[in-house]
Amino acid sequence: MKLNEAQESAVTFVSGPCLVLAGAGSGKTRVITNKIAHLVRNCDMPARYIAAVTFTNKAAGEMKSRVEKIVGPKASRVNIGTFHSICARILRYEIDLLGFNPNFAIYDAADQLNLIKSIINSNKIPIEGMTPNAIRGRISLAKNSMEESKLDNKSSSPVDRAAALVYPLYTKALKENNALDFDDLLLFPLKVFNKKPAILKKYQEQFKYVLVDEYQDTNHAQFLFVKLLAEKHKKITVVGDDDQSIYGWRGADISNILGFEKAFPGCKTFRLEQNYRSTQTILSAASTVVRNNERRAEKELWTEGIAGANIGLMETFDELEEAEGILELLEREIVNKKRTFNEFVILYRTNAQSRALEDALRRRGIAYKIVGGVRFYERKEVKDLLAYLRLIVNSVDTVSLKRVVNFPPRGVGVKTVEKCEEYSREKGISLLASTADPDAFGLKGKPADGLKDFNSLIVKYAQLLPKLSAAELSSAVVDELGLVSFYKEQATAEATERLANVQELLNSIDDFCRENPNTGLREFLEDVSLLTDLDNWNQDANSVTLMTTHAAKGLEFPVVFIAGMDEGLFPLARCMESSDQLEEERRLFYVALTRAQDRAYLHYATNRRRFNGIYGMGFASRFVQEIPEENLERITFRSSVTRKLVRGKAGKYKLKQVRTVTNFDDLERGDKVEHKVFGKGMILSVNGSGESQKISVIFRGDIRKKLIAKYANLKRL
């Protein structure tokens, strides 16, 4: 494909710093590869003097392959790689300045985690209930932001205090092992350049032209690295889209791309606004939403393609109906447009949302795959709780016992478990039985107390198994383990996600038992076992794709469904307290919507289960409300059975399936009504008729709600 005018201008400008603001689907990879080719073929720039930097090995490989197609064998001499690979290459030659051997090892996340665990255990560091992984994440974030000094053991944050205690010992252990972690690969070249400027000059001459892809994702260390390399010759091109900057939570700094012109005086800026992916309707909607951000560079995406269909918007009662609604539309697309399963992607803000979607797909026998995450029932926190439940049902399940005997931490290590195994073999009893009396095999102190507590918990709930429903027992186990406080105290995004997944598992058990009233925990566990054993779809098979909105970046699909477009879920409630975080959430929605080539559907629920199974009365996300009405098509969920909240004996609200009421046309403004949850109120307005009728009601306490009449179950007074 021939370069368009804007692309051609960006490619041929080589006399100074260059910023290419490339909107979604505008061909940024074509620009950067063609610019490399232009430098080699038309500017007499030796390939070995060019450095092209990106973020993933896949992207680097694709870039190298495209350059090879244009310039041939010379492409092999271009320094194309990730930030980490190029920095590692430099350090192999220069790291002796920092007291390391050039044969240093590079520790991945698992290696780092094992090292941190060892440090905590051997030094008996009090980590205040924090997980080693949370500590690893906090140290990594501090390094990426070059703010290690801010790790303070006097901090009010438990994870900061724990990380401050571990960090110096962790740094020392890395050096003793002649090892670097991934963050060190970025930081250490800066230390080398600072310590010996002559080395910096050497690499400035070696990399006379620097190109950076996905520049909006760079952190502070990466910014300094490329700035130092390009400081002498001022020959640098960065390509990115500030509207797709979505990794602030892991250190990416949007200021790098927004402030590029200031950091590199004399910079020439090019805007790529022609889109080759999506319809104009999708582009117009996405652009209108993201324009509500204050921190952005102005650009307007357009396409020579068709206007396309409006964006579908479906409101459902809860997450279960949401999943069914998505599949109704998916099947409609297959019938009407002759589509195949691999043309669809279902996006969601948090991994926990996949549960209801997976269950619905499985019930209909539709193949699916999860990208950028693991299946719901395979997630660590879910498997941990399932292990407890399996052990309660089956006391001789040693695999489950070993998995959770020290989760949450109770001082039971590997050696303690080995002693239990020896004693159980000697006495011919189960491993669980051996944990009842650790004194019998000479175990004392914290490990002995931990084993006794664990045994008591399992025995207690095994006895309660016939007396409690599966949902009641599971919820009680979570409470007694203290999992809510365990995850909340970690105060990390990862811990929040894990807690949400625990709650989703409780929801799943409740749903299963309501749909199968004569079953219990044993049957649920059997169902899940079959699911995890058989639900392994071939990555290349014709299947529906499920992924988080973050994982979707850089991908495209003919049809995109975005689930969970509820205020408080997307954007996340915790992100609404900060204008920067809210703007990043809006950019994330922009990324999600612009993955769609032909059609996009948005879904939200008016009653979505929150923590502890409580239903919240929800409404459409502000991002949905920011889309012009002329770009939306409101679609009614047409299931003949819906659900309503009913008060149980204990005063708690539960779901009950009822026939959908279809005639609400007799409701009028000023009518006094009563709602099961909100009490007495008065109708302020009535819009529409039949199933799509919407009403606005003011309840006592000045509580104002917009409701779908068919779900509201209002009683006229």
Side-chain angles (χ1 to χ4, degrees):
M1 186 188 296
K2 186 180 177 182
L3 296 174
N4 64 38
E5 186 177 344
Q7 291 171 334
E8 183 75 29
S9 298
V11 165
T12 55
F13 178 80
V14 297
S15 59
C18 175
L19 169 63
V20 183
L21 291 171
S26 63
K28 66 176 181 64
T29 305
R30 291 186 69 232
V31 166
I32 205 164
T33 53
N34 276 272
K35 189 156 193 171
I36 295 170
H38 176 71
L39 288 167
V40 174
R41 293 194 305 183
N42 305 323
C43 301
D44 297 322
M45 175 72 70
R48 68 180 183 277
Y49 289 155
I50 301 171
V53 192
T54 188
F55 278 82
T56 66
N57 290 321
K58 182 181 178 182
E62 183 183 346
M63 190 182 295
K64 188 172 291 186
S65 175
R66 290 196 184 190
V67 174
E68 281 178 355
K69 287 180 180 178
I70 304 174
V71 302
K74 288 182 180 178
S76 63
R77 292 193 288 273
V78 179
N79 298 282
I80 299 176
T82 65
F83 275 99
H84 292 95
S85 66
I86 289 176
C87 286
R89 209 178 306 159
I90 292 172
L91 290 173
R92 292 293 180 192
Y93 293 98
E94 317 295 350
I95 201 168
D96 58 314
L97 275 175
L98 303 179
F100 285 77
N101 187 292
N103 295 318
F104 57 85
I106 300 173
Y107 281 2
D108 62 16
D111 297 324
Q112 296 169 49
L113 191 58
N114 288 332
L115 182 58
I116 288 171
K117 286 178 179 177
S118 174
I119 290 167
I120 292 169
N121 293 333
S122 60
N123 293 276
K124 297 181 172 59
I125 296 175
I127 59 174
E128 303 181 58
M130 297 297 100
T131 64
N133 201 43
I135 294 169
R136 184 195 67 82
R138 183 64 188 90
I139 290 173
S140 178
L141 185 60
K143 284 187 172 185
N144 280 320
S145 306
M146 301 186 71
E147 294 180 338
E148 299 103 310
S149 61
K150 291 188 177 181
L151 291 175
D152 187 356
N153 58 15
K154 296 180 181 177
S155 169
S156 59
S157 166
V159 71
D160 275 357
R161 291 196 298 270
L165 294 172
V166 172
Y167 180 65
L169 297 171
Y170 173 68
T171 302
K172 181 182 177 191
L174 283 173
K175 194 161 188 176
E176 289 173 347
N177 288 285
N178 195 42
L180 277 63
D181 63 23
F182 268 56
D183 303 313
D184 291 330
L185 291 177
L186 300 177
L187 292 176
F188 280 23
L190 300 177
K191 292 182 179 181
V192 169
F193 295 161
N194 184 60
K195 193 168 184 176
K196 198 167 182 178
I199 293 178
L200 171 61
K201 290 180 181 179
K202 180 176 77 173
Y203 287 100
Q204 287 174 337
E205 290 301 322
Q206 184 172 333
F207 303 135
K208 291 183 178 180
Y209 206 108
V210 179
L211 302 100
V212 186
D213 195 14
E214 302 287 1
Y215 189 68
Q216 77 281 346
D217 294 334
T218 54
N219 59 35
H220 190 55
Q222 290 160 334
F223 162 75
L224 288 177
F225 178 71
V226 297
K227 190 174 188 301
L228 286 171
L229 285 182
E231 201 166 47
K232 182 178 181 180
H233 299 288
K234 315 295 184 187
K235 301 294 181 68
I236 180 171
T237 292
V238 301
V239 183
D241 183 8
D242 55 292
D243 287 334
Q244 297 187 70
S245 179
I246 59 174
Y247 295 116
W249 50 275
R250 69 182 189 194
D253 188 353
I254 194 173
S255 300
N256 292 346
I257 190 167
L258 294 178
F260 185 84
E261 292 166 314
K262 185 178 180 180
F264 292 86
C267 167
K268 181 82 170 177
T269 299
F270 301 89
R271 286 172 168 78
L272 307 186
E273 297 174 310
Q274 184 175 358
N275 177 280
Y276 296 93
R277 176 189 299 152
S278 306
T279 66
Q280 189 59 55
T281 297
I282 292 169
L283 297 179
S284 297
S287 297
T288 302
V289 173
V290 83
R291 271 199 297 269
N292 287 282
N293 279 357
E294 293 183 5
R295 297 187 71 198
R296 66 181 297 267
E298 189 58 42
K299 64 187 83 68
E300 188 68 40
L301 293 182
W302 59 277
T303 179
E304 291 181 343
I306 61 172
N310 279 352
I311 296 166
L313 176 62
M314 177 180 283
E315 176 189 275
T316 50
F317 182 83
D318 61 9
E319 66 271 20
L320 303 180
E321 282 195 353
E322 178 180 69
E324 293 298 326
I326 288 172
L327 296 191
E328 283 185 13
L329 293 173
L330 186 149
E331 291 175 348
R332 190 187 303 178
E333 286 277 345
I334 289 174
V335 172
N336 296 340
K337 301 291 185 178
K338 309 300 181 190
R339 299 192 188 276
T340 53
F341 288 144
N342 57 11
E343 294 184 61
F344 302 97
V345 66
I346 306 174
L347 304 179
Y348 36 81
R349 179 62 183 85
T350 66
N351 277 309
Q353 293 169 252
S354 79
R355 196 274 304 174
L357 297 163
E358 289 186 66
D359 286 352
L361 287 160
R362 183 167 57 91
R363 283 195 299 271
R364 296 201 184 200
I366 296 175
Y368 71 94
K369 62 183 178 216
I370 293 208
V371 178
V374 295
R375 294 177 182 273
F376 178 80
Y377 294 107
E378 295 172 1
R379 292 167 193 158
K380 178 189 180 303
E381 57 278 12
V382 172
K383 294 183 75 170
D384 286 342
L385 183 51
L386 286 173
Y388 270 106
L389 300 178
R390 288 193 172 104
L391 189 57
I392 289 167
V393 170
N394 178 15
S395 65
V396 296
D397 185 350
T398 59
V399 173
S400 293
L401 186 150
K402 288 180 180 180
R403 180 180 183 92
V404 294
V405 68
N406 197 42
F407 175 81
R410 50 174 64 91
V412 180
V414 175
K415 290 184 178 179
T416 299
V417 175
E418 289 174 353
K419 289 182 179 180
C420 290
E421 288 181 301
E422 290 174 9
Y423 183 74
S424 67
R425 285 193 296 268
E426 181 185 324
K427 297 295 183 181
I429 59 177
S430 70
L431 189 57
L432 178 64
S434 74
T435 64
D437 187 19
D439 297 336
F441 49 94
L443 203 62
K444 305 290 184 184
K446 189 175 181 180
D449 293 339
L451 285 177
K452 290 176 183 176
D453 290 344
F454 176 76
N455 182 276
S456 296
L457 185 146
I458 301 300
V459 171
K460 172 184 173 181
Y461 286 100
Q463 293 171 347
L464 290 171
L465 191 59
K467 302 175 184 178
L468 299 176
S469 71
E472 290 169 334
L473 186 142
S474 304
S475 184
V477 170
V478 169
D479 288 342
E480 187 151 337
L481 290 172
L483 293 184
V484 173
S485 58
F486 175 74
Y487 287 122
K488 280 187 174 180
E489 285 172 3
Q490 295 180 31
T492 65
E494 181 188 30
T496 301
E497 182 115 325
R498 290 189 186 281
L499 180 56
N501 287 332
V502 169
Q503 181 55 55
E504 268 304 301
L505 178 57
L506 296 180
N507 293 343
S508 177
I509 295 169
D510 186 50
D511 291 340
F512 179 85
C513 294
R514 283 191 295 103
E515 294 167 6
N516 306 275
N518 297 320
T519 60
L521 188 57
R522 289 182 177 86
E523 288 77 14
F524 172 79
L525 293 173
E526 180 181 332
D527 186 73
V528 171
S529 294
L530 292 173
L531 167 63
T532 55
D533 288 340
L534 300 178
D535 199 24
N536 293 314
W537 302 106
N538 188 329
Q539 289 279 328
D540 299 322
N542 183 25
S543 52
V544 177
T545 301
L546 276 68
M547 63 175 71
T548 65
T549 44
H550 279 98
K553 189 170 175 291
L555 303 177
E556 58 186 37
F557 295 86
V559 183
V560 171
F561 298 95
I562 308 177
M565 291 303 306
D566 312 11
E567 186 74 359
L569 182 56
F570 198 179
L572 290 175
R574 60 179 170 82
C575 294
M576 292 188 281
E577 299 173 2
S578 161
S579 60
D580 286 346
Q581 290 183 9
L582 180 59
E583 290 203 351
E584 182 159 312
E585 289 285 292
R586 187 175 279 110
R587 292 194 295 269
L588 184 58
F589 175 68
Y590 172 86
V591 167
L593 190 55
T594 55
R595 300 311 93 194
Q597 296 171 303
D598 304 327
R599 195 76 204 267
Y601 295 95
L602 310 178
H603 299 261
Y604 69 98
T606 56
N607 294 272
R608 193 179 298 271
R609 275 178 286 191
R610 313 294 185 185
F611 290 113
N612 301 321
I614 298 172
Y615 280 78
M617 297 296 291
F619 53 93
S621 163
R622 67 186 66 197
F623 303 152
V624 172
Q625 298 177 47
E626 289 169 359
I627 296 174
E629 191 66 31
E630 61 265 26
N631 292 146
L632 291 174
E633 176 193 355
R634 297 182 182 272
I635 304 171
T636 302
F637 178 61
R638 301 211 177 267
S639 175
S640 61
V641 175
T642 190
R643 302 167 178 86
K644 70 176 182 178
L645 292 172
V646 296
R647 194 187 297 271
K649 293 180 180 178
K652 295 182 178 179
Y653 286 94
K654 296 184 177 181
L655 279 179
K656 181 179 178 181
Q657 291 189 337
V658 296
R659 289 291 167 186
T660 301
V661 179
T662 58
N663 185 12
F664 301 95
D665 293 339
D666 56 345
L667 292 174
E668 296 179 356
R669 184 175 182 270
D671 282 352
K672 292 182 179 178
V673 294
E674 186 174 10
H675 189 274
K676 291 278 189 182
V677 176
F678 302 113
K680 295 179 180 179
M682 182 179 73
I683 295 178
L684 297 176
S685 64
V686 180
N687 296 295
S689 61
E691 288 193 352
S692 62
Q693 186 179 75
K694 298 177 179 64
I695 53 176
S696 179
V697 186
I698 183 169
F699 295 99
R700 288 179 178 175
D702 198 31
I703 299 173
R704 298 170 185 256
K705 293 290 180 180
K706 292 182 179 180
L707 306 170
I708 300 293
K710 75 171 185 176
Y711 293 133
N713 295 303
L714 294 173
K715 177 183 176 184
R716 184 184 281 107
L717 299 178

